Amino acid sequence: SLPYSIEHNEMTMEWVAMINTNQKAIDEGDTDKVEDHLATQVFKTAQEARAFCHCYAPPRMHSIKDSPKCQICKRKFNKFLRRPSQCKNCGICVCSACSVEWPSTMLPSTFHTTEKRCKKHVKVCTACDWLNCTFRQQVLTGNLDRACALYATGNVNVRSPFAKLRGEVM
């Protein structure tokens, strides 16, 4: 995930969590843009602040130019039939055959860059889609042990709203 920090404010006795949300600015060392794209939240405990950072820190996007092939099917990208995109949930580079669209509301607002905030859908890899769909199904059917095991993999974000997909009633 992108960097974040947690600081204790001695005057207010609160914990301040700050998440960097602009990977390009971080990679370029542009401190002004980094400061413009900080998501900040105040909490009563350090544990709440850490949980916020863990759930809301966007994934580090893998470079498309440094990824010559899809990280799911391992086929090489090309300009016409197998174009690369980045999974907005985990950051890996995948081809269109190995990605699906999610409503953008399924990801925390901090996962969206300023240029793409108005998008209604985002692309995610089929691995993240399977994991989230399976997790959601286990929760809906009451299989807590299986849901906890899936959550422990790290790519299920329970602080994000689950959209009503595939006929679910929530």
Side-chain angles (χ1 to χ4, degrees):
S1 65
L2 292 182
Y4 59 83
S5 63
I6 300 169
E7 298 175 8
H8 189 250
N9 183 327
E10 295 293 330
M11 294 190 67
T12 63
M13 299 306 291
E14 295 176 318
W15 292 87
V16 180
M18 293 172 283
I19 299 173
N20 292 294
T21 62
N22 188 329
Q23 180 174 332
K24 184 177 180 183
I26 294 167
D27 292 345
E28 293 174 353
D30 188 338
T31 54
D32 291 335
K33 280 188 180 177
V34 168
E35 288 178 11
D36 289 343
H37 292 88
L38 283 177
T40 306
Q41 189 77 26
V42 178
F43 298 92
K44 296 289 182 195
T45 68
Q47 182 180 4
E48 290 173 338
R50 272 191 302 277
F52 169 79
C53 290
H54 178 72
C55 291
Y56 285 89
R60 178 165 279 286
M61 295 294 159
H62 294 224
S63 168
I64 289 176
K65 70 179 183 181
D66 294 337
S67 301
K69 54 187 173 180
C70 175
Q71 294 179 331
I72 302 268
C73 70
K74 307 299 184 200
R75 292 186 177 145
K76 286 187 178 184
F77 294 126
N78 63 49
K79 293 183 181 184
F80 303 107
L81 299 174
R82 194 170 306 282
R83 298 185 70 176
S85 64
Q86 295 162 315
C87 173
K88 300 304 184 242
N89 192 54
C90 71
I92 67 170
C93 296
V94 294
C95 67
S96 59
C98 295
S99 67
V100 297
E101 284 190 347
W102 277 0
S104 60
T105 56
M106 282 190 56
L107 296 176
S109 59
T110 53
F111 281 35
H112 305 290
T113 62
T114 54
E115 301 86 41
K116 297 178 183 174
R117 278 209 176 142
C118 28
K119 276 189 149 182
K120 291 185 180 185
H121 293 93
V122 293
K123 286 190 174 185
V124 296
C125 69
T126 53
C128 285
D129 184 58
W130 176 87
L131 181 65
N132 279 276
C133 288
T134 306
F135 172 80
R136 187 170 42 248
Q137 188 61 37
Q138 298 310 308
V139 168
L140 291 172
T141 59
N143 190 344
L144 182 60
D145 291 337
R146 180 77 172 128
C148 288
L150 291 165
Y151 177 74
T153 64
N155 278 1
V156 175
N157 196 327
V158 295
R159 303 251 174 166
S160 301
F162 286 124
K164 292 179 182 176
L165 297 175
R166 300 174 181 95
E168 298 169 348
V169 177
M170 299 192 91

